[in-house]
């Protein structure tokens, strides 16, 4: 009886069971479509990007042109105080230095915001002024180098003319002497005329000989000596 009373009391304390109710309602859905840019907007965007890239390139190229002009002014002025000094008259040197100074003042003054073409034009004008002295300097230095190349060729041909190599044993003693004489004459000209004449020459004026004339003499020597020493052996007589 006690058990039945407890179970009955327990049943009265529990809440009633909940029922699941399903209800259907209609929902309103709003559909939105997100489309890309129109062709006009796309073209405008591309043009904007192109204009920005073009502007960046113009700025870069303008800075480079300005730097080129500035570099030429500094380098040429330094050369006129050192390696170019002997290759230009004092009056011409002072005049060129003055023009370089004017260019420098312009770069940091009125020309600070100049366009690329203006920098390039001023650079070309300065190169016209500084070109002659630079040319004399370079040509003067090219002559000894060309003489060294001629000397090396002379030594090679003289050694070959004195060689007992079987590949050249068909060359007569008379022809070998021609090669040796041509070598001696070439070096006598290079040392006794070209290099000797440089000692007393006024470097501010063009020299009658040049690196090109020495190179041409070497080519003539190589052609003459090669024609003799590299001539093919005569064919043996037919049996």
């Amino acid at each position: 009886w006690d058990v039945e009373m407890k179970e009955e009391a327990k049943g009265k304390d529990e809440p009633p069971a909940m029922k699941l109710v399903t209800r259907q309602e209609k929902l309103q859905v709003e559909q939105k479509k997100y489309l890309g840019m129109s062709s006009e907007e796309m073209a405008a965007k591309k043009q904007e990007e192109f204009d920005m890239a073009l502007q960046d390139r113009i700025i870069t190229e303008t800075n480079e042109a300005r730097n080129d002009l500035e570099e030429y002014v500094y380098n040429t002025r330094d050369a006129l105080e050192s390696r170019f000094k002997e290759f230009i008259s004092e009056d011409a040197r002072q005049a060129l230095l003055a023009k370089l100074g004017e260019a420098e003042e312009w770069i940091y003054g009125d020309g600070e915001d100049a366009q690329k073409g203006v920098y390039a034009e001023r650079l070309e004008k300065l190169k016209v002024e500084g070109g002659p002295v630079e040319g004399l300097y370079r040509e003067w230095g090219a002559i000894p180098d060309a003489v060294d190349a001629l000397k090396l060729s002379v030594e090679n041909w003289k050694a070959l003319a004195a060689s007992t190599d079987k590949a050249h044993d068909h060359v007569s003693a008379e022809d070998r002497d021609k090669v040796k004489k041509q070598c001696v004459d070439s070096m006598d000209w290079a040392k006794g005329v070209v290099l000797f004449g440089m000692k007393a020459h006024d470097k501010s004026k063009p020299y009658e000989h040049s690196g090109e004339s020495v190179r041409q003499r070497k080519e003539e020597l190589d052609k003459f000596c090669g024609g003799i020493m590299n001539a093919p052996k005569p064919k043996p007589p037919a049996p």
Side-chain angles (χ1 to χ4, degrees):
W1 182 81
D2 291 338
V3 175
E4 291 179 357
M5 290 294 292
K6 290 181 180 179
E7 288 295 333
E8 183 179 352
K10 183 179 179 181
K12 292 181 179 180
D13 293 340
E14 290 182 355
M18 296 180 64
K19 294 182 180 181
L20 180 63
V21 178
T22 302
R23 183 170 57 188
Q24 294 183 350
E25 293 183 0
K26 292 184 179 181
L27 300 178
Q28 293 183 352
V29 179
E30 183 179 358
Q31 184 178 11
K32 293 184 178 181
K33 295 182 179 180
Y34 294 91
L35 302 177
M37 290 185 290
S38 66
S39 58
E40 292 80 6
E41 292 174 330
M42 181 66 73
K45 188 66 176 177
K46 289 183 177 179
Q47 184 63 43
E48 181 182 354
E49 293 176 355
F50 175 81
D51 292 341
M52 292 176 61
L54 179 61
Q55 185 63 26
D56 289 342
R57 190 180 71 180
I58 291 174
I59 293 174
T60 300
E61 292 180 353
T62 300
N63 289 336
E64 290 175 352
R66 183 178 187 272
N67 291 338
D68 289 343
L69 176 59
E70 188 177 35
E71 183 179 6
Y72 183 83
V73 169
Y74 291 156
N75 290 345
T76 304
R77 182 163 52 198
D78 178 70
L80 288 171
E81 298 291 352
S82 54
R83 60 186 183 276
F84 286 178
K85 198 168 185 178
E86 295 181 287
F87 297 89
I88 187 172
S89 67
E90 184 59 22
D91 290 343
R93 191 176 77 90
Q94 291 299 332
L96 183 52
L97 284 171
K99 290 182 179 180
L100 294 171
E102 292 172 1
E104 183 181 18
E105 291 181 4
W106 177 84
I107 291 173
Y108 297 113
D110 296 338
E112 189 171 4
D113 297 322
Q115 295 180 351
K116 169 188 171 182
V118 179
Y119 289 127
E121 182 180 358
R122 282 183 171 264
L123 175 59
E124 289 306 313
K125 288 182 178 179
L126 284 179
K127 284 184 175 181
V128 170
E129 297 289 339
V133 62
E134 184 176 356
L136 287 175
Y137 171 79
R138 292 185 182 279
E139 187 53 52
W140 191 263
I143 294 175
D145 292 340
V147 170
D148 287 343
L150 174 61
K151 180 181 178 182
L152 180 61
S153 185
V154 164
E155 292 173 351
N156 290 338
W157 288 121
K158 287 174 68 176
L160 195 59
S163 173
T164 58
D165 193 323
K166 292 183 179 180
H168 305 284
D169 60 4
H170 61 287
V171 180
S172 66
E174 181 182 0
D175 285 340
R176 290 172 184 261
D177 288 340
K178 291 179 181 178
V179 170
K180 295 175 183 178
K181 183 178 184 306
Q182 192 70 18
C183 289
V184 171
D185 290 346
S186 294
M187 283 311 302
D188 285 348
W189 171 79
K191 291 182 177 180
V193 177
V194 179
L195 294 182
F196 181 79
M198 293 177 72
K199 295 179 180 180
H201 182 72
D202 182 358
K203 296 179 182 179
S204 65
K205 298 178 182 178
Y207 188 41
E208 60 180 314
H209 302 290
S210 63
E212 180 59 32
S213 64
V214 178
R215 287 189 290 270
Q216 185 176 353
R217 184 65 178 257
K218 177 184 178 299
E219 291 176 1
E220 294 173 354
L221 174 69
D222 291 341
K223 183 178 181 180
F224 178 85
C225 297
I228 293 176
M229 298 306 301
N230 296 328
K233 288 186 176 183
K235 294 180 180 180

